[in-house]
Amino acid sequence: VVGAGDTGRGWAALCVAAGWPVVLFDSMGDAANNAPDDVMKRARNLVDLGRANAGELETGMSAFTVGRSLLHATTDATWIIECITEDLITKQKLFENLESVAPKARLVTSSSTALGPKDIAARCRRPDRVLVAHPINPVELIPLVELVPGPGTDSALVELLKGWLRALGRVPVTIRKATPGMVAGRIAAAVWREAIELVLTGVIDVDDLDRAASVGPALSLAAAGPHLTYHLAAGKEGATGHLQRMLVSFERSWSQLAKWEKLEPDQQQRIIQAIQAAYADKTEVLRAARDRRLAATLRAMEQARQG
Amino acid sequence: VVGAGDTGRGWAALCVAAGWPVVLFDSMGDAANNAPDDVMKRARNLVDLGRANAGELETGMSAFTVGRSLLHATTDATWIIECITEDLITKQKLFENLESVAPKARLVTSSSTALGPKDIAARCRRPDRVLVAHPINPVELIPLVELVPGPGTDSALVELLKGWLRALGRVPVTIRKATPGMVAGRIAAAVWREAIELVLTGVIDVDDLDRAASVGPALSLAAAGPHLTYHLAAGKEGATGHLQRMLVSFERSWSQLAKWEKLEPDQQQRIIQAIQAAYADKTEVLRAARDRRLAATLRAMEQARQG
């Protein structure tokens, strides 16, 4: 794992908890210095939440090391996960360097949210092993990983990566065109913009909005994505008739949705104040409760899938 | 329950499964004729999914009747749930009629998505017992109920209603201003518009989009609404600094989001075809799997709340 920020620590915690041998490296010594404790804490938390197995965690923890250099960290790696800063030139240089220091790696994946694999691999002579594999925060808990293969990516290696990701309990999906925020980020951005608008226009309070989003649309969507929900609702009426009837109310809502693309400084202050008023002073209790709900929900969905 | 369409059947199934005595009425005889079987099926399904208790279901089923007239259906009711067609004049007439035929009811709630309680109660001399209590489909499964009290609603009666809803396992939230689609509908509309856009622009396939929405943003949001998610992510960095850093990537996503307010006929056809190609021929299997995931997720979230 190259890059020991929040995303890199999440990937490392996930792999350590699965018993995989992880080397974490960060060119900024500072991040790497604090990182091991945090990785261990997050990996252990997966066991506490019933998301990982104590024996595998032990194996992963005893194999975990911090790399002294890029060469030392990656030269024997089978899979290199890049999680460095979101800057194209810096990423291009890193991927170019990896060709000489880590020729044996089967896959080199970028966790980039906004950059495409073609640009990231622009200086590589071997783009076949390069693609974007974008996780969602908290990385070790949310199963989705968005894969963006480039024009030069070897499709057999994409399948290999999917197998590794599934072994880690991840759910890979394929993005056919890189777009800022990918798919999950665009959906989250649409939700959060609307959530800000609804509070700032006085429709609902912060805590009621969060409760509504959680036990309303989020539950529906967790059980079935938007298109499947629509498909199941159409029923015997048939898709076209049902869609036309539904569009009347959807178009009424679409015309109400927030349109702004920037949050002005005074809006930023108002929403921050509203959120602080709702949640400040109980952050750690709320975080533990969120993690419990997330772990319980993940477990329930996996069991329902197998059932 | 006045109105035996999908929403009315859902309310009836929920209350029957809880053992409450329900009278269902619909002025269009047809709907009422098919409705009892469907209510029973949906109520029984709640027991199968572990969402209701077989003994209570028996009690509710033996007490369940179809009303012969509005008077017969409502005159002894404590709570009248209106689920008729979304037409203001029709609703106003019904609420006016209920003042003479059902003077004893403590609460008369409208399931309206788009109309406000002030308009609905415009012809009432007793608006104190009237408010909107808007459920989400499938009504008997999704816990959220959006309450919109009017200027004339008695706040003690709002509290009484919240108690009844909680006894039914519902999660009531307060909407301070009626808006088309309320809060959940606007969030769902924002998600579905983006989901359509992402498929129509070739970013992702229908089934991968649904999978991504489900195991990505929906899981996060089910565990913590958007504002709480942001609050927890801010951590020690502090809200303002974190927001400013996050806004860079959110603004990039916001500028990409779909802006259209109408789905043109050719877009309608394209999205329907894509959805059919993904899901046709497996609808009933997919529906059962969706219900299982939903029930398991609900149970898990309740347990995590208590834990």
Side-chain angles (χ1 to χ4, degrees), chain A residues 86 114 136-137 142-144 146 171-177 179-199 201-206 208-233 235 239-240 243-244 246-247 250-263 268-269 271-272 275-276 279-280 283 286-287 289-290 292-294 296-298 300-301 304-305 307, chain B residues 86 114 136-137 142-144 146 171-177 179-199 201-206 208-233 235 239-240 243-244 246-247 250-263 268-269 271-272 275-276 279-280 283 286-287 289-290 292-294 296-298 300-301 304-305 307:
Chain A
E86 200 74 334
I136 311 294
N137 284 318
I142 303 289
L144 179 64
E146 296 172 300
V171 176
V173 302
T174 304
I175 308 291
R176 301 192 175 283
K177 268 188 219 174
T179 166
M182 305 285 161
V183 163
R186 274 174 57 170
I187 290 176
V191 169
W192 201 38
R193 177 165 71 180
E194 205 52 33
I196 293 171
E197 175 85 354
L198 286 161
V199 168
T201 55
V203 172
I204 191 167
D205 293 344
V206 162
D208 265 355
L209 181 126
D210 279 341
R211 209 171 283 125
S214 168
V215 300
L219 267 182
S220 305
L221 285 173
H227 297 308
L228 180 55
T229 296
Y230 160 73
H231 177 73
L232 294 178
T240 309
L243 184 73
Q244 279 159 358
M246 265 183 57
L247 281 177
F250 268 90
E251 287 173 357
R252 222 162 21 208
S253 294
W254 285 333
S255 71
Q256 302 290 316
L257 297 183
K259 292 183 176 67
W260 42 265
E261 295 178 5
K262 275 184 80 69
L263 195 59
Q268 295 179 21
Q269 281 317 305
I271 194 70
I272 285 176
I275 295 171
Q276 300 282 36
Y279 298 129
T283 306
L286 290 167
R287 186 189 311 280
R290 188 267 315 261
R292 267 202 316 275
R293 282 195 295 272
L294 192 50
T297 309
L298 283 165
M301 283 180 63
R305 277 215 166 78
Chain B
E86 201 74 334
I136 311 294
N137 283 317
I142 304 288
L144 179 64
E146 296 172 299
V171 176
V173 301
T174 304
I175 309 291
R176 303 193 173 282
K177 267 189 217 173
T179 167
M182 306 286 161
V183 163
R186 275 174 57 170
I187 290 176
V191 169
W192 202 37
R193 178 165 71 181
E194 206 51 33
I196 293 171
E197 175 85 354
L198 286 162
V199 169
T201 54
V203 172
I204 191 167
D205 294 343
V206 163
D208 265 355
L209 181 126
D210 280 342
R211 210 171 284 126
S214 168
V215 301
L219 267 182
S220 304
L221 284 174
H227 297 308
L228 180 55
T229 296
Y230 160 73
H231 177 73
L232 294 177
T240 309
L243 185 73
Q244 279 158 358
M246 267 184 57
L247 280 178
F250 269 90
E251 286 173 357
R252 220 160 26 206
S253 294
W254 286 332
S255 70
Q256 302 290 316
L257 298 183
K259 291 183 175 70
W260 42 265
E261 297 178 4
K262 275 183 82 67
L263 195 60
Q268 294 179 21
Q269 281 316 306
I271 193 72
I272 285 175
I275 294 171
Q276 300 282 35
Y279 298 129
T283 307
L286 290 167
R287 187 189 309 282
R290 187 268 314 264
R292 267 202 315 277
R293 282 195 295 273
L294 192 49
T297 308
L298 282 165
M301 283 180 63
R305 277 214 166 78

